């Protein structure tokens, strides 16, 4: 056992092969429905197929393993207006994102509140939360929230 304050190197330091990194713990989530209301016209729409999406979540810092959500979700086609749509999972992640909201807000907090530059923020997320996010992705997230708060400011000014 290490005493308090003793230095313990990150166990992944020096690992150069991806296969040697700790395997992610897979957590299943379902957003798989037989029918969903169409987001355009509210007509009930049957499931067309079920597909799978993997989202990287904040990992388990005790075991040192990353954590991935495997989301099975349904795709639907509206019989009335013919539009295609997915079962909603806005509570988990933004559309097309590979990361959960938890990862995005943690990354943005590290930069905006703690003042970490992008590269150290990326390293921190891996070392302490076992999620690998390229620093350029973090930059995109921070800039997107910056735009959001700027437009909020604008709205305040015009009110
Ligand atoms: Zn419709």
């Amino acid at each position: 056992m290490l005493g308090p304050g003793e230095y313990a190197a990150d166990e992944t330091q020096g690992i150069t092969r991806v296969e040697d990194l700790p395997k992610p713990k897979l957590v299943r989530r379902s957003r798989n429905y037989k029918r969903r209301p169409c987001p355009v016209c509210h007509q009930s729409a049957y499931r067309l197929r079920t597909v799978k999406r993997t989202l990287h979540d904040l990992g388990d810092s005790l075991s040192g393993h990353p954590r991935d959500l495997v989301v099975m979700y349904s795709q639907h086609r509206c019989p009335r207006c013919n539009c295609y749509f997915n079962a909603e999972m806005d509570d988990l992640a933004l559309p097309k994102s590979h990361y959960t909201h938890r990862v995005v807000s943690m990354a943005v907090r590290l930069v905006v509140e703690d003042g970490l530059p992008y590269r150290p923020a990326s390293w921190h997320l891996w070392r302490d939360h076992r999620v690998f996010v390229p620093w350029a992705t973090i930059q995109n997230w921070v800039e997107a929230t910056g735009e959001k708060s700027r437009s909020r400011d604008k709205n305040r000014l015009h009110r």
Side-chain angles (χ1 to χ4, degrees), residues 76-158:
H76 304 256
R77 204 188 102 219
C78 175
R80 190 190 285 162
C81 67
N82 246 338
C83 77
Y84 291 81
F85 63 95
N86 297 331
E88 61 277 18
M89 52 189 127
D90 302 349
D91 56 320
L92 295 175
L94 290 175
K96 299 200 168 77
S97 175
H98 296 290
Y99 299 92
T100 62
H101 290 309
R102 283 167 15 117
V103 174
V104 178
S105 49
M106 171 72 73
V108 170
R109 264 209 315 272
L110 287 171
V111 173
V112 173
E113 288 178 18
D114 303 342
L116 283 185
Y118 297 120
R119 281 168 207 269
S122 171
W123 170 239
H124 176 97
L125 284 172
W126 172 255
R127 194 196 56 193
D128 290 354
H129 304 285
R130 283 294 185 251
V131 57
F132 176 72
V133 188
W135 66 268
T137 304
I138 301 179
Q139 184 176 16
N140 287 342
W141 291 342
V142 169
E143 285 172 358
T145 48
E147 253 132 57
K148 243 182 262 162
S149 56
R150 260 200 303 282
S151 62
R152 262 206 305 273
D153 289 346
K154 223 187 286 165
N155 289 340
R156 263 203 294 273
L157 284 178
H158 291 268

Side-chain angles (χ1 to χ4, degrees), residues 30-116:
S30 176
R31 294 293 186 276
N32 195 9
Y33 309 97
K34 230 179 231 171
R35 283 190 295 196
R36 285 323 265 168
C38 168
V40 179
C41 72
H42 307 295
Q43 169 79 36
S44 176
Y46 274 105
R47 175 172 60 207
L48 209 58
R49 59 177 157 255
T50 303
V51 281
K52 192 169 80 173
R53 175 182 184 199
T54 300
L55 295 168
H56 306 304
D57 197 10
L58 293 178
D60 183 347
S61 46
L62 285 178
S63 72
H65 283 266
R67 184 179 140 103
D68 281 348
L69 300 189
V70 181
V71 190
M72 302 297 294
Y73 65 97
S74 43
Q75 294 187 322
H76 304 256
R77 204 188 102 219
C78 175
R80 190 190 285 162
C81 67
N82 246 338
C83 77
Y84 291 81
F85 63 95
N86 297 331
E88 61 277 18
M89 52 189 127
D90 302 349
D91 56 320
L92 295 175
L94 290 175
K96 299 200 168 77
S97 175
H98 296 290
Y99 299 92
T100 62
H101 290 309
R102 283 167 15 117
V103 174
V104 178
S105 49
M106 171 72 73
V108 170
R109 264 209 315 272
L110 287 171
V111 173
V112 173
E113 288 178 18
D114 303 342
L116 283 185

